[in-house]
Amino acid sequence: MLDPLTSISNAFTSFLFGKVETTRLPVRTSTGQAQAVYLPTAAPGLGDSGVIIGREVYSGKGYIYDPFQLYGQQLPAPHWLVLGESGNGKSALEKTYVLRQLRFRDRQVVVLDAQGEDGVGEWNLIAQQLGITPIRLDPMAALDGGIRLNPLDPSITSTGQLALLRTIIEVAMGRGLDERSGFALKVAHAYVNESVTDRQPVLTDIVEQLRHPEAESAESMNVDIDDVRAWGLDVALVLDRLVDGDLRGMFDGPTTAGIDLDAPLIVFDLSHIDRNSIAMPILMAIVGVWLEHTWIRPDRKKRIFLVEEAWHIINSPFVAQLFQRLLKFGRRLGLSFVAVVHHLSDVVDGAAAKEAAAILKMASTRTIYAQKSDEARATGRVLGLPRWAMEIIPTLTPGIAVWDVNGNVQVVKHLITDVERPLVYTDRAMTEDGGPDRDLLAEAAAAERAAAAMERYPDEAYGSSPRSTVA
């Protein structure tokens, strides 16, 4: 009931203006509507410099990301981890991201393409479009004059060569080298580097020296030469696989001349290698170290090193140690490492859990596509995602992912242009597009699910997350 003073005021207003001021009902709105109307209340973006990824589904803002622009202020490291099951848009994201980065003149990209069909890698179409010939590493083709990469290439330092040889052997053996085998390898490598001066030393020289060590090698340690030969026998047998076994032809000769390391895009086609064999991590180790010493230079270029099936690197303690060094040096050399894997459990539960954690810690950007509920919760705990993000990951539709950029967590719809579409979709099911209406419905549904999840966890601010639990 109105008090007398209010009644008098209403009567005076009615007499003066011919109407009575009505009482308005309270306004009810959702968090999403409030953020759309009052943009300053929306989660902070990542700036306006870089490449367009798509649209942030909750506020509708454009989502722009560039590790080189963000590094130092918003990113402690420029490295990026992409997670998700097949068919959800990981490949499309990688390819559009690279194509858009290459619009900048100071960008250069290397891709280790470990997947493919019809005898070529997934990146073959993009390489053709840019007028680039992929570097196809294939044991059969190598025997007929194909591409070779020499682990003993003079462009690699002597220390780097020895570290690479140890890694190849340890990956193949599944264990670390003991002191005696390590000594035999060290003296064989030193002798070959000193004695072979008229050409590039090759793996055959190391194998031959391990089988027939010099007397000086034994004398230097005051041991019998037969002991040195015995210590190096297992090492020789492992390296022989690269010389005369199933991997012959790719690494047992001088590096192929004419490999263009100045091209904007360099694609190593590894699709002819069995992805489940021990050959794949060995191959990635050799390519990674060779690139470290031949491709990465202290100039003004910004470089992106994208590795598909990256669990071959992260899940091997010996290969992971090589790449850890590369990632650490990469920050001062303008290198962004992009690792693409299906499941985080592929790398954190393996033999290289410690090394995997170190690499994950250096990846300040994480993009997570749809995963099953148990996997999403496990991933969220390891990466330190907020609970609302863990809850919606299993509900995400293809093309929509949770992005965590150093604690700034958003749900992002990846947008692809009509020009890019035929170049980036390799899955026929993904090309059967239902049109923009379906995309908008999926985006709206994702926004509603995100809003509902956030309302259930009001203590977790949108656009931020707790510190990662990766040790």
Side-chain angles (χ1 to χ4, degrees):
M1 183 173 179
L2 298 178
D3 62 285
L5 185 59
T6 302
S7 299
I8 294 173
S9 298
N10 287 344
F12 179 78
T13 301
S14 178
F15 171 76
L16 189 62
F17 300 105
K19 62 180 180 180
V20 177
E21 195 173 84
T22 59
T23 302
R24 296 183 180 276
L25 295 175
V27 177
R28 299 185 182 277
T29 183
S30 69
T31 309
Q33 290 171 327
Q35 289 191 335
V37 174
Y38 304 104
L39 292 180
T41 68
L46 301 176
D48 55 5
S49 297
V51 299
I52 297 174
I53 299 297
R55 183 168 50 241
E56 200 275 296
V57 301
Y58 199 56
S59 68
K61 298 184 299 183
Y63 194 79
I64 298 174
Y65 170 78
D66 192 300
F68 305 110
Q69 297 289 339
L70 298 173
Y71 176 63
Q73 296 183 346
Q74 293 176 267
L75 275 183
H79 309 305
W80 178 18
L81 175 70
V82 183
L83 289 166
E85 297 182 354
S86 298
N88 283 288
K90 294 194 311 295
S91 292
L93 172 66
E94 302 160 28
K95 292 167 185 172
T96 55
Y97 174 74
V98 167
L99 287 170
R100 295 168 190 178
Q101 281 283 5
L102 290 178
R103 294 175 65 88
F104 296 96
R105 292 182 180 274
D106 65 339
R107 305 294 158 91
Q108 196 181 24
V109 182
V110 163
V111 175
L112 298 194
D113 183 3
Q115 303 189 68
E117 56 187 18
D118 301 325
V120 296
E122 278 195 1
W123 287 76
N124 188 68
L125 192 59
I126 289 177
Q128 285 183 343
Q129 188 73 14
L130 297 178
I132 293 166
T133 302
I135 301 169
R136 185 164 293 118
L137 290 169
D138 180 358
M140 298 304 296
L143 295 175
D144 297 325
I147 299 295
R148 280 187 172 91
L149 295 179
N150 185 9
L152 302 178
D153 193 310
S155 62
I156 303 176
T157 65
S158 179
T159 302
Q161 292 176 9
L162 185 57
L164 180 54
L165 290 173
R166 287 186 65 101
T167 298
I168 293 170
I169 296 161
E170 289 171 335
V171 169
M173 297 175 68
R175 58 177 174 81
L177 278 182
D178 58 45
E179 294 298 327
R180 290 180 172 85
S181 296
F183 170 76
L185 176 64
K186 179 181 176 182
V187 296
H189 174 255
Y191 179 83
V192 167
N193 269 352
E194 292 172 3
S195 61
V196 179
T197 58
D198 57 338
R199 57 176 173 81
Q200 283 191 16
V202 294
L203 286 179
T204 305
D205 299 322
I206 300 289
V207 173
E208 184 64 21
Q209 184 60 27
L210 286 167
R211 287 173 171 167
H212 306 286
E214 298 296 319
E216 293 84 354
S217 301
E219 292 172 0
S220 65
M221 289 293 290
N222 196 26
V223 295
D224 190 89
I225 192 169
D226 289 334
D227 290 334
V228 177
R229 185 180 296 110
W231 296 346
L233 183 58
D234 287 344
V235 176
L237 291 174
V238 171
L239 291 180
D240 188 65
R241 183 179 181 184
L242 278 70
V243 173
D244 198 30
D246 55 339
L247 297 179
R248 67 189 185 278
M250 293 187 293
F251 311 113
D252 58 345
T255 299
T256 302
I259 295 177
D260 184 7
L261 294 179
D262 293 319
L265 175 64
I266 305 167
V267 177
F268 285 86
D269 183 350
L270 315 182
S271 61
H272 287 258
I273 309 298
D274 182 359
R275 284 182 286 173
N276 296 315
S277 75
I278 200 66
M280 187 62 79
I282 291 175
L283 189 61
M284 289 188 172
I286 293 174
V287 172
V289 172
W290 186 78
L291 286 171
E292 178 186 354
H293 290 86
T294 60
W295 175 58
I296 300 174
R297 297 182 291 271
D299 53 22
R300 292 190 174 185
K301 283 190 176 181
K302 304 294 189 293
R303 293 179 170 85
I304 299 168
F305 187 12
L306 189 150
V307 180
E308 293 182 338
E309 300 287 340
W311 64 272
H312 287 292
I313 291 173
I314 304 175
N315 205 32
S316 168
F318 314 111
V319 183
Q321 288 169 10
L322 287 180
F323 274 79
Q324 280 183 49
R325 185 182 70 248
L326 178 62
L327 267 60
K328 289 177 181 177
F329 291 160
R331 285 190 275 190
R332 61 180 174 82
L333 295 174
L335 174 70
S336 173
F337 178 69
V338 183
V340 184
V341 298
H342 288 105
H343 306 288
L344 199 59
S345 59
D346 292 341
V347 295
V348 298
D349 296 333
K354 180 180 178 181
E355 291 78 7
I359 289 181
L360 292 176
K361 191 173 183 180
M362 286 189 277
S364 300
T365 301
R366 295 88 173 262
T367 300
I368 306 97
Y369 282 89
Q371 297 179 338
K372 294 179 182 178
S373 297
D374 291 346
E375 184 76 24
R377 285 194 293 270
T379 298
R381 285 193 294 269
V382 172
L383 299 183
L385 296 175
R387 285 172 294 176
W388 65 262
M390 288 187 256
E391 186 171 312
I392 67 168
I393 287 174
T395 71
L396 296 174
T397 53
I400 299 179
V402 169
W403 280 67
D404 176 7
V405 182
N406 194 34
N408 187 314
V409 184
Q410 316 278 0
V411 183
V412 179
K413 167 68 178 178
H414 176 216
L415 299 179
I416 304 173
T417 67
D418 291 337
V419 174
E420 294 168 329
R421 192 173 299 273
L423 295 175
V424 303
Y425 276 153
T426 54
D427 187 341
R428 181 176 298 177
M430 292 289 289
T431 64
E432 296 172 356
D433 190 5
D437 290 341
R438 190 189 71 171
D439 286 345
L440 290 174
L441 288 173
E443 191 174 336
E448 289 179 4
R449 289 192 293 269
M454 288 181 232
E455 288 177 0
R456 281 192 287 275
Y457 304 108
D459 57 315
E460 295 178 353
Y462 174 60
S464 63
S465 75
R467 187 186 300 266
S468 170
T469 58
V470 175

